[in-house]
Amino acid sequence: MRTLIWDPVVCDEVAAQSLATALDVSPVVARLLCHRGHGDPEAAHRFLYPQLSQLHDPYGLADMRPAVDRLCAALERRERIAIHGDYDVDGVTSTVILRRALELLGGDVTHFIPERLRDGYGLQAPAVERLHAEGVRVIVSVDCGIRSAEAARRARELGVDLIITDHHEPEAELPSALAVINPKRVDCTYPDKHLAGVGVAFKVVQALCQRFGREKWLPAFLKLAAIGTVADVVPLVGENRIIAKLGLERLSQGPHTVGLRTLLESAGLQNKTIDGFHVAFVIAPRVNAAGRMSTPDLATRLLLASDEAQLDEVRRLAEQLGEENTRRQAYEADIVADAKKQVETDVRIGAHNVLVVAGEGWHRGVIGIVASKLVDAFYKPTIVLSIEDGIAHGSCRSIPAFNMLGALDGCADLFQKYGGHKQAAGLTMDAARIPEFRDRINAHGLACLEPTDLMPRLRIDSELRLAGIDSRVVAGLEQMAPFGLANAKPVFDATGVELLGTPRRIKDRHLKVQVRQDGRVFNAIAWRAAEKAAQWEQHRQSLRLAYSLDKQTFRGETTLELTVADLRCPEPTVPEPV
C-alpha cells in the first residue's frame, strides 16, 4: 500500500481576500487562483473567462509566414497537398482540422497517417516518396517531423516542399524543410511554448483564416482542437486553456458534423456536458484504439465525415472503434500483469530507480499505456519494451523529477531512433543491448534521483470543511475547469469527518461510502482503495480526508459527490506522564 506525502500549499490570505473582493468569487476559489499564479485580478479574469480574442498572433511563430505563403500558392495553382499526421489523438485531430480547413479554402488535399506496426513512428522518407508518386507537391506534417532530417532531405531531392508543424523537442539542427513551425525552436520567440501538436496545427488554421478573411470559421475548429489538447496532457494554461475551455463548451452544445456526433453517441456522451474527464477517459481511448490496434485511418475517416449521406458508413466506423478499444483493454491487462510480475519478482528490475521491462511479442500498440500504469503502481520512471525479431520497441513514461528525454540522450548510441518529451518518449533498439541500456539508464537515475523523488506527493490546496461547500464554491470550481497539467483539480483537506454506515466495495477495487461533518452529508467514492476498508471502519468517528468535488448525474438528477484522494487516521494519543 503506497503512502502519499501530503503537501499543503501555503497561501497569502491577504492577497486571496483582495482577489475574492475584486472578482466577487468565493475566498476558496480566490486561494486556488493565487496558488496557480493568477493573483492579479485582470490575469485571473482572463483565466476564468478565456476568449478567442486572447489568442496570440499566429505569425509570431517562426516560419509561419513562408508556410502560409506556400499553402496559398498551392491553393491558387490547385497543387496537391498532403497532411502527414501521427497515429495518436493529437495527430489524428491535427490531421483532420488542417485538412478540413484547406478543403474549405478550395484545396486539393489528401492525408497520410503511418500505421504503428507497418510504418513506425513519425515522418519517414518512404512516406515522402509514396506521396510524391501520388502527385503531392506540398507535404505538411502535423504532430511529427521535428527530428525527421532524412525525410526532409528526401523531400528536397524530389522537389516536394515540406512544411513541418510539431511540438516535440527539436535537435540542435532543424530538418532542412521549407518551413519548420514549432514553438520549442530555440530561435522562436512565440510566447506560448507548450501547445499540443493540434494546437500548432490550429495556429496554422488561424493564420489561414486571417489571410482569407475567414475568422468566423475559427470557432468550428475548436472542438477537435480541444480533444487533441486535453488528450495529449499538455499544460492547460495560456492558449491551451483557451482551446480546451472554449472547445469543450462547443462539444457540449453542438451542433456537430455527422462523424463527431456519431463518435459522441457511440461513447454514450450525446446531450451531456462534456468535460476533460470525458475526453481523457472516454473519447481519447476510442480514437487512440484505432492507431494502437489496427489503422488510425478508422478514426480519421470518422472525424472527417461531414455529409449525412455517410451516416451508415460512419456508424460502422464508430462500431469498429468500440471493438478495437475493447480488444486494446484485453491486451493491456495481460501485459500489465506480466510486467508487474517482472518488477515484483526480478530483483535486477524491481530494485532499480528506473524500471525497464521487456516482453517478446508484447503488442506495441499498448505498451505506452502499460508504462503509464506501471508508473502509477510503483512511482518510478518506466520503460516498456516489446521485442520482435530481435528489435525492441519501447515506450517511456516518467515522474516529475526525472527528465526522460534527457536520460535517453545519454544513451543515444544504443538506439536506432528515439524522441519525445521530458515525461514521455519512444525508442527503437537492438534487443541484445537491453541489459546494457538498463544498467546505463539506472546509473543516470541513481545520480539524479533522490529517495524523496520516488515518494508520490499529494498537493493539498486548502482546508475546506464540508459545511463550507456552497454554490459559490461549486460555481467557481466549474469556471476554473478544465483541469489537468498546470491546472490540477483542487484537492481539499477535511479533518474530523464521520463515516456513516459500512463502506461498500465496487468491483473489488473501489469503495463507496457516506460521510458527515458539521451536519453535512455527502456520498463519496475512493478509487482503488478497497484495501483501506478496515481503516475507514476502525476510525469511523474521526477521519481526515483529502478530497475533490465532482458532479454526478443519474437518471436526470445531478448531485455533488466527494472523490477521496487519500485517507488519514488520527495519530494515536500518548498518555501524559503522571
Side-chain angles (χ1 to χ4, degrees):
M1 190 184 303
R2 202 171 68 186
T3 301
L4 291 174
I5 297 174
W6 289 24
D7 274 343
V9 181
V10 177
C11 182
D12 182 337
E13 290 295 337
V14 174
Q17 188 56 56
S18 175
L19 185 63
T21 302
L23 294 181
D24 190 24
V25 297
S26 162
V28 173
V29 174
R31 287 190 207 102
L32 297 173
L33 290 167
C34 287
H35 293 170
R36 286 154 174 73
H38 311 298
D40 174 73
E42 185 178 341
H45 190 272
R46 285 198 306 270
F47 179 82
L48 290 174
Y49 304 100
Q51 304 292 328
L52 276 180
S53 59
Q54 298 168 8
L55 292 172
H56 302 301
D57 180 1
Y59 290 100
L61 282 159
D63 278 3
M64 180 65 81
R65 197 165 298 280
V68 172
D69 287 346
R70 183 63 184 91
L71 289 172
C72 289
L75 292 170
E76 184 179 349
R77 299 171 193 158
R78 293 290 297 168
E79 292 176 309
R80 193 153 177 76
I81 304 168
I83 313 301
H84 185 297
D86 186 28
Y87 41 63
D88 66 358
V89 181
D90 193 14
V92 168
T93 52
S94 301
T95 301
V96 172
I97 69 167
L98 190 50
R99 175 169 178 172
R100 181 169 288 157
L102 288 166
E103 286 180 332
L104 285 171
L105 292 169
D108 177 11
V109 194
T110 186
H111 73 267
F112 173 77
I113 300 180
E115 294 192 10
R116 188 184 301 255
L117 303 185
R118 184 191 68 191
D119 304 306
Y121 170 77
L123 177 66
Q124 305 285 341
V128 172
E129 293 167 354
R130 170 180 167 177
L131 292 171
H132 172 260
E134 293 173 1
V136 168
R137 291 297 169 261
V138 180
I139 297 174
V140 186
S141 77
V142 290
D143 192 34
C144 64
I146 196 62
R147 294 190 171 209
S148 299
E150 182 184 349
R153 283 194 296 271
R154 189 62 181 137
R156 188 172 291 274
E157 290 168 359
L158 294 170
V160 174
D161 285 324
L162 174 63
I163 298 168
I164 292 172
T165 79
D166 202 352
H167 71 126
H168 295 93
E169 296 288 344
E171 294 177 309
E173 185 175 347
L174 297 176
S176 178
L178 181 142
V180 179
I181 303 172
N182 184 336
K184 291 193 174 107
R185 282 178 56 166
V186 294
D187 61 340
C188 182
T189 59
Y190 194 70
D192 201 320
K193 297 291 187 181
H194 300 291
L195 293 169
V198 73
V200 181
F202 180 79
K203 298 303 293 186
V204 177
V205 172
Q206 183 188 3
L208 286 166
C209 286
Q210 287 183 10
R211 181 70 65 92
F212 286 90
R214 296 287 189 268
E215 288 90 343
K216 65 181 181 180
W217 288 358
L218 199 58
F221 294 98
L222 283 170
K223 291 180 282 190
L224 290 183
I227 290 174
T229 295
V230 173
D232 213 51
V233 199
V234 290
L236 292 184
V237 293
E239 288 193 307
N240 287 337
R241 174 168 173 80
I242 297 169
I243 292 168
K245 179 83 171 175
L246 300 183
L248 289 174
E249 289 175 358
R250 294 183 69 88
L251 270 176
S252 300
Q253 295 164 2
H256 305 306
T257 61
V258 63
L260 181 56
R261 186 183 75 231
T262 304
L263 174 64
L264 296 178
E265 288 174 353
S266 68
L269 296 176
Q270 66 270 36
N271 303 319
K272 289 191 176 182
T273 299
I274 297 172
D275 58 21
F277 175 87
H278 295 121
V279 170
F281 296 101
V282 182
I283 298 173
R286 286 171 176 265
V287 176
N288 265 334
R292 294 185 187 283
M293 306 307 296
S294 57
T295 169
D297 221 39
L298 287 177
T300 312
R301 285 161 50 207
L302 173 67
L303 292 174
L304 280 169
S306 58
D307 189 336
E308 290 293 332
Q310 299 172 275
L311 182 57
D312 288 343
E313 178 193 0
V314 164
R315 284 176 173 163
R316 284 194 297 272
L317 290 170
E319 185 178 351
Q320 281 182 270
L321 284 183
E323 291 169 353
E324 295 292 6
N325 193 39
T326 300
R327 197 159 69 93
R328 184 269 305 170
Q329 290 169 332
Y331 274 102
E332 176 193 319
D334 289 343
I335 298 173
V336 166
D338 288 348
K340 280 186 174 180
K341 185 176 180 181
Q342 287 187 24
V343 175
E344 291 165 350
T345 61
D346 190 336
V347 69
R348 294 170 301 176
I349 296 172
H352 288 303
N353 285 350
V354 182
L355 302 179
V356 180
V357 295
E360 192 78 38
W362 282 353
H363 197 294
R364 283 157 50 191
V366 301
I367 56 175
I369 309 175
V370 173
S372 294
K373 287 186 176 292
L374 293 181
V375 172
D376 288 342
F378 300 105
Y379 203 70
K380 292 181 178 181
T382 300
I383 295 139
V384 179
L385 299 161
S386 170
I387 303 171
E388 297 175 23
D389 299 324
I391 301 298
H393 302 267
S395 272
C396 320
R397 299 294 183 269
S398 197
I399 59 176
F402 189 79
N403 181 338
M404 182 62 77
L405 186 59
L408 295 183
D409 284 338
C411 304
D413 57 296
L414 297 176
F415 308 133
Q416 296 173 7
K417 58 182 176 179
Y418 73 103
H421 304 289
K422 293 179 180 179
Q423 296 297 297
L427 62 88
T428 305
M429 65 183 297
D430 186 335
R433 305 195 75 175
I434 291 174
E436 181 184 357
F437 171 51
R438 183 181 285 121
D439 290 343
R440 284 173 58 178
I441 200 164
N442 270 289
H444 178 81
L446 190 62
C448 69
L449 286 169
E450 298 293 334
T452 52
D453 293 332
L454 300 174
M455 300 173 69
R457 313 183 85 86
L458 179 64
R459 172 191 171 113
I460 306 294
D461 287 280
S462 175
E463 181 181 353
L464 180 61
R465 298 184 70 83
L466 303 191
I469 302 171
D470 58 23
S471 58
R472 292 184 77 212
V473 170
V474 174
L477 292 178
E478 289 180 341
Q479 201 60 45
M480 288 187 68
F483 299 112
L485 189 63
N487 183 35
K489 191 166 198 175
V491 177
F492 303 106
D493 181 356
T495 304
V497 178
E498 176 188 0
L499 172 67
L500 301 179
T502 302
R504 180 163 57 92
R505 290 176 181 261
I506 301 175
K507 297 183 178 178
D508 291 325
R509 298 177 59 207
H510 319 299
L511 287 181
K512 189 85 171 177
V513 298
Q514 194 173 61
V515 295
R516 177 172 60 195
Q517 184 192 48
D518 302 334
R520 292 289 301 278
V521 176
F522 284 91
N523 290 325
I525 184 79
W527 302 111
R528 295 179 294 279
E531 73 278 5
K532 292 189 175 182
Q535 284 181 271
W536 284 87
E537 290 276 22
Q538 184 179 356
H539 303 282
R540 59 185 304 123
Q541 297 299 320
S542 184
L543 298 164
R544 185 177 180 187
L545 305 183
Y547 71 92
S548 54
L549 290 166
D550 288 289
K551 280 187 172 180
Q552 299 296 332
T553 301
F554 182 68
R555 293 179 179 173
E557 183 178 346
T558 300
T559 58
L560 202 59
E561 181 177 272
L562 309 186
T563 298
V564 179
D566 198 22
L567 165 71
R568 282 191 172 179
C569 304
E571 296 290 335
T573 56
V574 179
E576 294 287 337
V578 178

